[in-house]
């Protein structure tokens, strides 16, 4: 039973560039959430996708966008990268119609902006 | 908006001893869920324990148990018989009708 997988594991970009991070949810899950975790802090909710639409969004600018595909996998896109976007980006999956179920997390993508 | 506060940035405990990590939260919701996640240096977030707000009974999972005080909005984690493998960051999380909110974390070190 495959868990949540994210790619790449580590990425280095420069300011102003664009980046795409990828996530495959745990088998049987249909909802994907993305989080940004700055060094030494807790994860901050970016947005959640279900049925290929963004359902919830945290306090992040429009430079952060996403997509969910019919197979439930998801992408996180960040445009016009800033130094402050350097962080660990975590993807989590869950089953939408089971309230209160814990989210299962991937290992994350470490994004470094130079 | 829901907020989650972990007031202990760092804690340490001797192997085989018991330690309690604190968490408080603020919400106007009545139905919600609370979690403790563990994040070792390998960085994957691992679920430790889950509590449903409508259940008065405190959740337990082997050496891990919680003290859930709904009126006080407190949700502490007790780790009994601490093991070296328990060394990690521990995050308290609140799940309401919208998104999941995390605290800033407590770094726990188990000393041999």
């Amino acid at each position: 039973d495959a868990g949540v997988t994210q790619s790449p594991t580590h990425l280095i970009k420069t300011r102003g560039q664009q980046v795409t991070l990828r996530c495959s949810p745990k088998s049987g899950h249909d909802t994907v959430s993305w989080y940004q975790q700055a060094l030494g802090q807790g994860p901050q909710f970016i947005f959640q996708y279900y049925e290929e639409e963004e359902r919830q969004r945290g306090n992040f600018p429009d430079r952060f966008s996403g997509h969910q595909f019919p197979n439930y996998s998801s992408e996180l896109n960040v445009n016009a990268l800033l130094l402050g976007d350097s962080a660990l980006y975590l993807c989590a999956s869950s089953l939408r119609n089971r309230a209160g179920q814990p989210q299962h997390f991937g290992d994350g993508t470490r994004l470094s902006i130079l | 908006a829901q907020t989650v506060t972990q007031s202990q940035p760092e804690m340490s405990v001797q192997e085989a001893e018991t330690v309690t990590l604190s968490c408080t939260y603020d919400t106007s919701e009545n139905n919600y869920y609370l979690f403790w996640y563990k994040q070792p240096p390998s960085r994957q977030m691992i679920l430790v324990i889950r509590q449903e707000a409508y259940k008065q009974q405190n959740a337990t999972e082997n050496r891990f148990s919680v003290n859930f005080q709904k009126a006080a909005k407190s949700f502490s984690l007790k780790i009994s018989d601490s093991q070296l493998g328990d060394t990690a960051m521990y995050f308290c999380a609140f799940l309401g009708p919208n998104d999941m909110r995390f605290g800033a974390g407590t770094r726990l070190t188990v000393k041999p």
Side-chain angles (χ1 to χ4, degrees), chain B residues 24-70:
Chain B
T24 58
Y25 58 94
D26 185 27
T27 184
S28 58
E29 300 290 336
N30 192 46
N31 294 321
Y32 52 88
Y33 302 84
L34 296 163
F35 306 88
W36 278 97
Y37 280 90
K38 165 185 176 181
Q39 188 178 42
S42 64
R43 78 192 189 194
Q44 185 178 36
M45 297 282 278
I46 301 166
L47 177 69
V48 174
I49 200 164
R50 169 181 177 265
Q51 175 78 43
E52 297 156 332
Y54 60 85
K55 286 188 176 180
Q56 293 184 339
Q57 185 175 3
N58 290 322
T60 61
E61 285 289 340
N62 301 314
R63 298 183 295 107
F64 300 89
S65 62
V66 299
N67 183 3
F68 174 49
Q69 302 290 327
K70 189 172 184 179

Side-chain angles (χ1 to χ4, degrees), chain A residues 9 37 100 103 105 107-108, chain B residues 37 39 43-44 50 91 99:
Chain A
T9 54
Q37 186 178 17
Q103 297 182 351
F105 285 82
D107 289 344
Chain B
Y37 280 90
Q39 188 178 42
R43 78 192 189 194
Q44 185 178 36
R50 169 181 177 265
F91 292 98
D99 56 4

